[in-house]
Structure formats: structure tokens, C-alpha cells
Amino acid sequence: MSQYMEKRLQPQLKIKNELDAVLKNVEVSFKSHDDRDVQTLLVYMPLDGNPDPLNKFFSVVKEGILANFVLKCSDIERQLRIHKEGAAERLFNKAVRQLSKHTAQGELGELIMFTLLDVYLEAPKLLTKISTKTANTMPVFGADGVHGQFYDGQFKLYLGESKLHKSFNSAASKAAKSIKSANEKYQKEFDLIESHRDFYDLDEDLENILLEILDPLSNESIDEVLHSSCFIGFANPELFDHLGDEFENKYVELANNHVRHFFKKLEDEGVDINKSVLMILPFNDIENLVEEFIRYMDIQQ
């Protein structure tokens, strides 16, 4: 796919600076259980500062992420054209109405995965999954996210899985099974892209290139295109007993074990770990996290 060497998809979120102020990306590399290099992204919320770090993060979500995650790009662009004054507030209110207290935990995990893929991997969404739901109280079926990325002349389609769990190991086991299932049913995701595609800031030529790549009938190398992304948010209260450099050192030590465990689970399910990326983010308490998300966004349904 060298013909795509100069191609690049533009991130949808223009909030890199705002996100860097509330999340820290740990520059570290890991190996799998059998000593192979694996792709990972470790982020965390620094504990110092005022206001509360979680409130700062939710402020960024409210101002610059939620509408882009929930709504289709075409809907956002149309609203911004029609209602310049107050458009951002209208878009946020419309997005919140698509969420539910019943599914908020899953949606928050999907939102974080969407954000990390877009901002840090420069892999924007190709499909707005929430728009495919039949009711806002129902979960999204299939992959939790569908994202794309051109990298070194190759196109990667990421079928994403997200988990917000108290236990990392439990989340990893469930995620690995879901990733295997999504990879086996990739044709359904391709059909959704064809019917509900949500490409951001593309000219017609690049859109046609993407559609041709994602057509299994015309692309005999479709297996090379398919990749897996996984976000796991997990609780580890003991980790937050540490501050500063000590926190980051403990986090990296903990992450090393988690990374090895996750990729072993993937391999046990027959998923190619060389075509997978793991993104992790620790929290003090998942239940409180979800409750604060519902409160801050004022999710009513």
C-alpha cells in the first residue's frame, strides 16, 4: 500500500493542548509475555492541582469531546452553519439526550477510547456507533468504535473494544473475547460504514480511496487492514496512595504486568497481537467515576 504513503486522516478533536493539561501520556514501551514488542498507550490523570482533576477532565469532555463522540460529523457541521451563536450548547444538549444512565458506564469507556484514538494515535472515527442504536437505553452492538489511520503508507482499520471495570484482569478477559468476535464479524462493521459512514474533513478522492480499501470484494488484502484497539479503564485505589514520580513508577510497574496479561489473553483467543494496541487509564473508583460523569453532564434519562 505504498501508494498511500502521503495520505493522512485529520483528527476530529482539536483539543490536544486541553487534553495534555488533564492527562499525562507516559512514554514507555512494553513487551508481551513472550518478549515481543507490543503497542501500548499509558495515560493517567495527575493528582495535583485545583480544581479536582476529574472535574477538569469532564470539563474538557463537555466543551470539546462529547458532541463529537455522539453526533455525526455532518450533523455537527450543519448545526454550526445554521446556528453560529449558541451552536456549541445546542450540540452538547442534543448529544446528552442520546445518553442514558443505564448505559453511561459503557458510553464513558467508549468516549475515552474515541478520544485516545483520535488525539494520540491520529486515528479518527469512521462510524458514529451511537447513531446506530435503536434506543438510547440500549448498548451499542458489535465493535465499540471503528477508527482509521494511515501509517507508513498502510491503512489500518481499528475495530475498538472498551471496558471500564473494577478489575483489570476481568476486563482484559472479556475484552479479548469481544475483540475476537468483532474480528470474525468485520463484514457487519464494513456494511455499517457503507450505510452510516462518518468521515471527517475528507475530500472526495480520499473518501473514494477509503471506500475502495474497505470493500472486501475489491480488496484482497483486507486482513492486512484489520487491526484491534482496546481501552481498559480500571480501579486501583492503592496506586493513588503515591504521588509524583513515585506514582508514575508504580503505574509503569503495574502496567507491565497488565500489558503482559492482556496480550496473553489476546493470543489465547487467536488474535494477532502484532496488529493490536492497548490503551489503559487507572482510576481510584469506577462507580464514583460513572456517577460523577452522569452528574457533570446532567444525564437525565
Side-chain angles (χ1 to χ4, degrees), residues 72-96:
K72 296 187 67 172
C73 296
S74 55
D75 290 344
I76 294 173
E77 292 167 0
R78 182 169 55 253
Q79 285 292 322
L80 291 176
R81 286 197 306 269
I82 297 173
H83 302 291
K84 291 186 177 181
E85 185 176 347
E89 183 178 358
R90 290 187 183 89
L91 288 167
F92 171 78
N93 291 336
K94 182 177 180 180
V96 168

mmCIF file of all heavy atoms in Angstrom, residues 72-96:
data_model
loop_
_atom_site.group_PDB
_atom_site.id
_atom_site.type_symbol
_atom_site.label_atom_id
_atom_site.label_comp_id
_atom_site.label_asym_id
_atom_site.label_seq_id
_atom_site.Cartn_x
_atom_site.Cartn_y
_atom_site.Cartn_z
ATOM 1 N N LYS A 72 -22.978 12.701 14.514
ATOM 2 C CA LYS A 72 -22.287 12.537 13.243
ATOM 3 C C LYS A 72 -21.640 13.859 12.832
ATOM 4 O O LYS A 72 -22.166 14.943 13.105
ATOM 5 C CB LYS A 72 -23.263 12.064 12.163
ATOM 6 C CG LYS A 72 -23.855 10.690 12.414
ATOM 7 C CD LYS A 72 -24.683 10.203 11.236
ATOM 8 C CE LYS A 72 -23.823 9.933 10.025
ATOM 9 N NZ LYS A 72 -24.587 9.270 8.936
ATOM 10 N N CYS A 73 -20.514 13.756 12.137
ATOM 11 C CA CYS A 73 -19.801 14.955 11.712
ATOM 12 C C CYS A 73 -20.694 15.855 10.860
ATOM 13 O O CYS A 73 -20.656 17.083 10.997
ATOM 14 C CB CYS A 73 -18.552 14.565 10.918
ATOM 15 S SG CYS A 73 -17.320 13.654 11.858
ATOM 16 N N SER A 74 -21.507 15.253 9.993
ATOM 17 C CA SER A 74 -22.395 16.044 9.127
ATOM 18 C C SER A 74 -23.411 16.820 9.951
ATOM 19 O O SER A 74 -23.751 17.965 9.625
ATOM 20 C CB SER A 74 -23.100 15.139 8.123
ATOM 21 O OG SER A 74 -23.798 14.095 8.799
ATOM 22 N N ASP A 75 -23.916 16.223 11.044
ATOM 23 C CA ASP A 75 -24.860 16.921 11.916
ATOM 24 C C ASP A 75 -24.206 18.112 12.591
ATOM 25 O O ASP A 75 -24.803 19.191 12.706
ATOM 26 C CB ASP A 75 -25.403 15.968 12.989
ATOM 27 C CG ASP A 75 -26.332 14.906 12.415
ATOM 28 O OD1 ASP A 75 -26.793 15.090 11.270
ATOM 29 O OD2 ASP A 75 -26.575 13.900 13.095
ATOM 30 N N ILE A 76 -22.973 17.917 13.058
ATOM 31 C CA ILE A 76 -22.246 18.997 13.727
ATOM 32 C C ILE A 76 -21.991 20.143 12.764
ATOM 33 O O ILE A 76 -22.224 21.316 13.077
ATOM 34 C CB ILE A 76 -20.928 18.467 14.316
ATOM 35 C CG1 ILE A 76 -21.216 17.474 15.448
ATOM 36 C CG2 ILE A 76 -20.055 19.611 14.819
ATOM 37 C CD1 ILE A 76 -19.984 16.774 15.988
ATOM 38 N N GLU A 77 -21.512 19.813 11.574
ATOM 39 C CA GLU A 77 -21.206 20.850 10.590
ATOM 40 C C GLU A 77 -22.465 21.630 10.204
ATOM 41 O O GLU A 77 -22.425 22.855 10.067
ATOM 42 C CB GLU A 77 -20.575 20.205 9.356
ATOM 43 C CG GLU A 77 -19.177 19.639 9.627
ATOM 44 C CD GLU A 77 -18.704 18.744 8.490
ATOM 45 O OE1 GLU A 77 -19.458 18.561 7.510
ATOM 46 O OE2 GLU A 77 -17.582 18.213 8.607
ATOM 47 N N ARG A 78 -23.576 20.927 10.058
ATOM 48 C CA ARG A 78 -24.827 21.592 9.679
ATOM 49 C C ARG A 78 -25.299 22.532 10.786
ATOM 50 O O ARG A 78 -25.701 23.677 10.517
ATOM 51 C CB ARG A 78 -25.901 20.544 9.377
ATOM 52 C CG ARG A 78 -27.227 21.152 8.915
ATOM 53 C CD ARG A 78 -28.187 20.102 8.379
ATOM 54 N NE ARG A 78 -28.434 19.038 9.347
ATOM 55 C CZ ARG A 78 -27.946 17.807 9.239
ATOM 56 N NH1 ARG A 78 -27.176 17.477 8.213
ATOM 57 N NH2 ARG A 78 -28.219 16.887 10.148
ATOM 58 N N GLN A 79 -25.233 22.079 12.031
ATOM 59 C CA GLN A 79 -25.653 22.918 13.151
ATOM 60 C C GLN A 79 -24.773 24.155 13.278
ATOM 61 O O GLN A 79 -25.260 25.256 13.563
ATOM 62 C CB GLN A 79 -25.621 22.114 14.447
ATOM 63 C CG GLN A 79 -26.757 21.123 14.602
ATOM 64 C CD GLN A 79 -28.102 21.822 14.779
ATOM 65 O OE1 GLN A 79 -28.189 22.852 15.433
ATOM 66 N NE2 GLN A 79 -29.148 21.265 14.178
ATOM 67 N N LEU A 80 -23.479 24.000 13.061
ATOM 68 C CA LEU A 80 -22.570 25.137 13.172
ATOM 69 C C LEU A 80 -22.839 26.163 12.076
ATOM 70 O O LEU A 80 -22.671 27.361 12.283
ATOM 71 C CB LEU A 80 -21.114 24.658 13.112
ATOM 72 C CG LEU A 80 -20.629 23.850 14.322
ATOM 73 C CD1 LEU A 80 -19.206 23.347 14.104
ATOM 74 C CD2 LEU A 80 -20.700 24.678 15.603
ATOM 75 N N ARG A 81 -23.260 25.677 10.912
ATOM 76 C CA ARG A 81 -23.579 26.611 9.817
ATOM 77 C C ARG A 81 -24.878 27.359 10.099
ATOM 78 O O ARG A 81 -24.986 28.555 9.869
ATOM 79 C CB ARG A 81 -23.700 25.848 8.479
ATOM 80 C CG ARG A 81 -22.404 25.391 7.877
ATOM 81 C CD ARG A 81 -22.590 25.041 6.397
ATOM 82 N NE ARG A 81 -23.654 24.065 6.195
ATOM 83 C CZ ARG A 81 -23.474 22.750 6.168
ATOM 84 N NH1 ARG A 81 -22.263 22.262 6.354
ATOM 85 N NH2 ARG A 81 -24.491 21.931 5.967
ATOM 86 N N ILE A 82 -25.869 26.622 10.597
ATOM 87 C CA ILE A 82 -27.199 27.210 10.775
ATOM 88 C C ILE A 82 -27.258 28.101 12.016
ATOM 89 O O ILE A 82 -27.837 29.197 11.984
ATOM 90 C CB ILE A 82 -28.269 26.095 10.876
ATOM 91 C CG1 ILE A 82 -28.310 25.296 9.580
ATOM 92 C CG2 ILE A 82 -29.638 26.681 11.182
ATOM 93 C CD1 ILE A 82 -29.209 24.074 9.649
ATOM 94 N N HIS A 83 -26.673 27.628 13.099
ATOM 95 C CA HIS A 83 -26.801 28.343 14.370
ATOM 96 C C HIS A 83 -25.410 28.675 14.907
ATOM 97 O O HIS A 83 -24.885 27.975 15.768
ATOM 98 C CB HIS A 83 -27.548 27.495 15.403
ATOM 99 C CG HIS A 83 -28.911 27.072 14.983
ATOM 100 N ND1 HIS A 83 -29.960 27.945 14.846
ATOM 101 C CD2 HIS A 83 -29.407 25.845 14.652
ATOM 102 C CE1 HIS A 83 -31.048 27.289 14.466
ATOM 103 N NE2 HIS A 83 -30.738 26.020 14.334
ATOM 104 N N LYS A 84 -24.803 29.702 14.393
ATOM 105 C CA LYS A 84 -23.457 30.040 14.842
ATOM 106 C C LYS A 84 -23.461 30.443 16.317
ATOM 107 O O LYS A 84 -22.631 30.000 17.097
ATOM 108 C CB LYS A 84 -22.885 31.169 13.982
ATOM 109 C CG LYS A 84 -22.581 30.725 12.551
ATOM 110 C CD LYS A 84 -21.873 31.817 11.776
ATOM 111 C CE LYS A 84 -21.518 31.330 10.379
ATOM 112 N NZ LYS A 84 -20.801 32.377 9.585
ATOM 113 N N GLU A 85 -24.413 31.293 16.701
ATOM 114 C CA GLU A 85 -24.475 31.712 18.101
ATOM 115 C C GLU A 85 -25.216 30.651 18.915
ATOM 116 O O GLU A 85 -26.345 30.272 18.605
ATOM 117 C CB GLU A 85 -25.205 33.054 18.214
ATOM 118 C CG GLU A 85 -25.200 33.612 19.643
ATOM 119 C CD GLU A 85 -25.842 34.985 19.734
ATOM 120 O OE1 GLU A 85 -26.053 35.597 18.673
ATOM 121 O OE2 GLU A 85 -26.127 35.430 20.865
ATOM 122 N N GLY A 86 -24.553 30.146 19.939
ATOM 123 C CA GLY A 86 -25.153 29.129 20.784
ATOM 124 C C GLY A 86 -25.141 27.732 20.194
ATOM 125 O O GLY A 86 -25.750 26.811 20.753
ATOM 126 N N ALA A 87 -24.433 27.529 19.060
ATOM 127 C CA ALA A 87 -24.436 26.224 18.396
ATOM 128 C C ALA A 87 -23.780 25.164 19.268
ATOM 129 O O ALA A 87 -24.263 24.024 19.337
ATOM 130 C CB ALA A 87 -23.722 26.321 17.053
ATOM 131 N N ALA A 88 -22.697 25.521 19.940
ATOM 132 C CA ALA A 88 -21.985 24.539 20.762
ATOM 133 C C ALA A 88 -22.881 24.009 21.874
ATOM 134 O O ALA A 88 -22.897 22.799 22.156
ATOM 135 C CB ALA A 88 -20.718 25.164 21.338
ATOM 136 N N GLU A 89 -23.652 24.907 22.495
ATOM 137 C CA GLU A 89 -24.548 24.488 23.573
ATOM 138 C C GLU A 89 -25.660 23.593 23.020
ATOM 139 O O GLU A 89 -26.030 22.588 23.646
ATOM 140 C CB GLU A 89 -25.151 25.708 24.258
ATOM 141 C CG GLU A 89 -26.035 25.346 25.443
ATOM 142 C CD GLU A 89 -26.582 26.574 26.153
ATOM 143 O OE1 GLU A 89 -26.238 27.709 25.750
ATOM 144 O OE2 GLU A 89 -27.354 26.403 27.120
ATOM 145 N N ARG A 90 -26.192 23.946 21.864
ATOM 146 C CA ARG A 90 -27.242 23.120 21.254
ATOM 147 C C ARG A 90 -26.710 21.722 20.929
ATOM 148 O O ARG A 90 -27.393 20.721 21.134
ATOM 149 C CB ARG A 90 -27.763 23.781 19.975
ATOM 150 C CG ARG A 90 -28.587 25.043 20.208
ATOM 151 C CD ARG A 90 -29.190 25.514 18.890
ATOM 152 N NE ARG A 90 -29.923 26.748 19.041
ATOM 153 C CZ ARG A 90 -29.374 27.965 18.911
ATOM 154 N NH1 ARG A 90 -28.088 28.080 18.631
ATOM 155 N NH2 ARG A 90 -30.098 29.050 19.070
ATOM 156 N N LEU A 91 -25.502 21.668 20.416
ATOM 157 C CA LEU A 91 -24.911 20.377 20.068
ATOM 158 C C LEU A 91 -24.679 19.530 21.308
ATOM 159 O O LEU A 91 -24.942 18.325 21.305
ATOM 160 C CB LEU A 91 -23.589 20.592 19.318
ATOM 161 C CG LEU A 91 -23.715 21.108 17.887
ATOM 162 C CD1 LEU A 91 -22.367 21.578 17.363
ATOM 163 C CD2 LEU A 91 -24.288 20.030 16.973
ATOM 164 N N PHE A 92 -24.195 20.166 22.377
ATOM 165 C CA PHE A 92 -23.977 19.417 23.621
ATOM 166 C C PHE A 92 -25.297 18.870 24.156
ATOM 167 O O PHE A 92 -25.388 17.695 24.528
ATOM 168 C CB PHE A 92 -23.314 20.317 24.672
ATOM 169 C CG PHE A 92 -23.260 19.666 26.030
ATOM 170 C CD1 PHE A 92 -22.312 18.693 26.319
ATOM 171 C CD2 PHE A 92 -24.173 20.014 27.018
ATOM 172 C CE1 PHE A 92 -22.271 18.076 27.562
ATOM 173 C CE2 PHE A 92 -24.147 19.409 28.267
ATOM 174 C CZ PHE A 92 -23.187 18.437 28.538
ATOM 175 N N ASN A 93 -26.325 19.719 24.186
ATOM 176 C CA ASN A 93 -27.629 19.277 24.705
ATOM 177 C C ASN A 93 -28.210 18.139 23.868
ATOM 178 O O ASN A 93 -28.801 17.195 24.408
ATOM 179 C CB ASN A 93 -28.602 20.455 24.743
ATOM 180 C CG ASN A 93 -28.231 21.482 25.793
ATOM 181 O OD1 ASN A 93 -27.557 21.167 26.777
ATOM 182 N ND2 ASN A 93 -28.643 22.721 25.601
ATOM 183 N N LYS A 94 -28.035 18.219 22.561
ATOM 184 C CA LYS A 94 -28.516 17.145 21.693
ATOM 185 C C LYS A 94 -27.753 15.852 21.968
ATOM 186 O O LYS A 94 -28.345 14.762 21.994
ATOM 187 C CB LYS A 94 -28.355 17.556 20.224
ATOM 188 C CG LYS A 94 -28.875 16.517 19.250
ATOM 189 C CD LYS A 94 -28.751 16.999 17.807
ATOM 190 C CE LYS A 94 -29.271 15.948 16.829
ATOM 191 N NZ LYS A 94 -29.149 16.407 15.414
ATOM 192 N N ALA A 95 -26.441 15.974 22.184
ATOM 193 C CA ALA A 95 -25.617 14.793 22.451
ATOM 194 C C ALA A 95 -26.012 14.140 23.766
ATOM 195 O O ALA A 95 -26.130 12.909 23.850
ATOM 196 C CB ALA A 95 -24.138 15.186 22.467
ATOM 197 N N VAL A 96 -26.223 14.938 24.806
ATOM 198 C CA VAL A 96 -26.583 14.392 26.120
ATOM 199 C C VAL A 96 -27.887 13.623 26.054
ATOM 200 O O VAL A 96 -28.049 12.594 26.726
ATOM 201 C CB VAL A 96 -26.661 15.520 27.175
ATOM 202 C CG1 VAL A 96 -27.313 15.018 28.451
ATOM 203 C CG2 VAL A 96 -25.263 16.047 27.483
#
